[in-house]
Amino acid sequence: MSTRADWTGLFAHRAGVRGGEELAAILAGVPDGVLALTGGFPNPATFPTDVLGEIAARVLRDEPGLALQYTPVGGIPSVREYLADRQEALQGVSPEALMVTSGGMECLALACSAMLDQGDVVAVEGPTYLGALMAFRGAEADVVEIPMDEDGLIVEALAERLEDGLRPKFLYVIPEYQNPTGRTLPLERREALVELCRRHGVLILEDVAYRELAWGAEPLPTLWSLAPDAVVQAGTFSKVFFPGVRLGWAAGPDEVVEQLAAAKANTDQCAGALGQRMVEEYGRGGHFETHLPTARELYASHWRALDGALRAEMPEGVAWTEPTGGFLTWLRLPDGLDAMALRDAALDAGVAYVPGAPFYASEGGANELRLSFSALGEADLTEAGARLAAVVRTAL
Ligand SMILES: Cc1ncc(COP(=O)(O)O)c(C=O)c1O
């Protein structure tokens, strides 16, 4: 009888350096009865199912040769045109080049594939989106963290590093309602950041995943709109349409987008045609304008419920971000408390969160944690906030 071979010796070096296992375990699911503030998924109530059914039926009936076929690598021409017009309408700049990607995450993967050799430096915010950290580490980059404060990336800290000789291939930034902190970079910092990066010849990779979920203040100008020559923007339809469509865009300087497209030719070759045509029909039909206000109001009311509970119940010395969009906040426990260690006590008390440490490229975040308020309804958010506060009070 033959025995099954063991393939574990086959894997590339990069397979062992991505990280993220700890977080995958944390996000794998929570026991019944536990209120989960963990997942960063959009709320399914925001998925526009009625319109989608009608659009899908129409596209399948009228244009199967387009919607069910392969597309050019950079996307269906009419879809690219629609996306370029949309960026111009929303951000005031017409892209030098724009391609359709299979989601925002793919854009980051294409940037790695096109630009990073082993040991190249990538600068990131500390903390940052875990998917990005894993992508950059998986590309065997040297990930260098630039500290943040309540207003996002500290531009002077980056300036010092650049003056000291740091030479990143690119700087990855999420300027609004950041994952994981919910923080937004103010206009003065945006202007200073693009000026600094231009001066040092550092490309900015701007991730605008949550930008259209602004429910507090009006969104600020994007980095790309401030410096289209020095910024590649990674966008996604996951939070404003639905993530199952796996659609996003990359906009930026010609020569960069061209190389991202060349990298895409080496992976899935094109984003799905059906999704591309659906997003185009949805957008041209004006449905973003009719649906987005409802989604924004849903997340705003969720935030009011969670914030209200935290204000009422959290002990002195606990602080959290007050986002003005998106669906994430970041909570800092008093020094000495360890969010990873408190996780089990929280689960026993019926509430789950994501400990902060995995979001840092460095050692930070022991007393920090991420809370998502997308999924639970208001009553559950109020209860979850109270349960979490009780856990913190007991730990103190
Ligand atoms: C900041 C950020 N960028 C990108 C993504 C990935 O988006 P997509 O679903 O389009 O790959 C996410 C998903 O949570 C995110 O939070």
Side-chain angles (χ1 to χ4, degrees):
M1 199 176 74
S2 64
T3 53
R4 187 185 170 287
D6 173 7
W7 306 115
T8 49
L10 280 183
F11 304 125
H13 176 254
R14 61 182 168 276
V17 296
R18 280 189 196 106
E21 299 81 7
E22 202 174 41
L23 200 76
I26 290 166
L27 295 176
V30 295
D32 282 351
V34 171
L35 296 173
L37 299 168
T38 43
F41 294 3
N43 191 305
T46 66
F47 300 159
T49 45
D50 49 343
V51 190
L52 289 179
E54 184 269 310
I55 291 176
R58 177 154 41 87
V59 166
L60 290 178
R61 185 188 63 227
D62 296 344
E63 48 183 86
L66 177 66
L68 301 184
Q69 190 54 281
Y70 290 109
T71 89
V73 177
I76 296 171
S78 67
V79 177
R80 288 171 67 176
E81 195 182 291
Y82 165 66
L83 294 189
D85 289 349
R86 185 161 193 268
Q87 300 329 318
E88 189 167 0
L90 290 174
Q91 302 184 48
V93 175
S94 174
E96 189 174 302
L98 178 145
M99 66 181 281
V100 182
T101 64
S102 301
M105 190 58 225
E106 195 207 17
C107 203
L108 308 186
L110 296 177
C112 292
S113 169
M115 289 187 266
L116 297 183
D117 290 313
Q118 188 180 27
D120 279 347
V121 174
V122 173
V124 301
E125 296 164 302
T128 191
Y129 171 45
L130 194 87
L133 269 186
M134 289 171 63
F136 303 150
R137 285 185 181 138
E140 302 178 272
D142 177 8
V143 183
V144 172
E145 188 170 283
I146 309 299
M148 303 174 88
D149 59 18
E150 270 310 303
D151 285 334
L153 184 90
I154 302 172
V155 179
E156 298 87 68
L158 176 64
E160 279 172 25
R161 296 298 304 268
L162 294 175
E163 269 139 38
D164 286 348
L166 186 76
R167 285 290 164 269
K169 277 281 179 81
F170 55 81
L171 165 75
Y172 172 69
V173 203
I174 311 162
E176 48 275 309
Y177 332 130
Q178 194 235 21
N179 185 359
T181 64
R183 292 171 186 150
T184 293
L185 196 67
L187 181 60
E188 314 79 68
R189 284 202 190 180
R190 291 175 191 236
E191 287 167 343
L193 181 63
V194 298
E195 203 276 317
L196 176 72
C197 287
R198 260 191 186 135
R199 189 149 38 87
H200 287 270
V202 175
L203 183 74
I204 298 175
L205 179 56
E206 174 186 41
D207 185 333
V208 291
Y210 298 90
R211 183 165 195 273
E212 289 185 57
L213 294 181
W215 41 257
E218 280 295 301
L220 294 168
T222 59
L223 300 176
W224 172 67
S225 72
L226 295 174
D229 56 315
V231 178
V232 175
Q233 182 171 90
T236 174
F237 286 101
S238 289
K239 317 294 177 187
V240 294
F241 192 46
F242 62 103
V245 75
R246 309 306 305 131
L247 267 193
W249 69 89
D254 249 337
E255 64 273 35
V256 181
V257 175
E258 194 180 309
Q259 278 304 318
L260 300 182
K264 189 169 174 64
N266 221 354
T267 58
D268 66 355
Q269 300 188 340
C270 62
L274 181 59
Q276 290 190 51
R277 283 289 297 122
M278 284 176 70
V279 97
E280 181 187 354
E281 287 297 297
Y282 186 81
R284 290 195 192 277
H287 297 295
F288 282 115
E289 288 72 21
T290 45
H291 276 75
L292 273 174
T294 316
R296 292 179 186 128
E297 183 41 45
L298 179 101
Y299 296 126
S301 70
H302 283 193
W303 168 245
R304 287 192 292 269
L306 179 62
D307 186 44
L310 297 177
R311 282 171 192 272
E313 306 280 347
M314 273 295 169
E316 280 284 298
V318 179
W320 56 93
T321 311
E322 293 180 26
T324 54
F327 45 68
L328 300 170
T329 185
W330 187 246
L331 189 133
R332 180 174 293 115
L333 301 169
D335 285 343
L337 290 192
D338 183 330
M340 198 68 88
L342 270 186
R343 207 177 75 86
D344 286 344
L347 286 175
D348 288 344
V351 61
Y353 59 79
V354 186
F359 298 99
Y360 282 88
S362 69
E363 297 298 303
N367 64 332
E368 296 172 325
L369 53 98
R370 190 188 79 173
L371 303 177
S372 164
F373 46 91
S374 63
L376 297 179
E378 289 170 39
D380 280 345
L381 284 164
T382 304
E383 175 61 22
R387 287 182 187 178
L388 184 61
V391 173
V392 176
R393 276 199 304 273
T394 305
L396 287 170

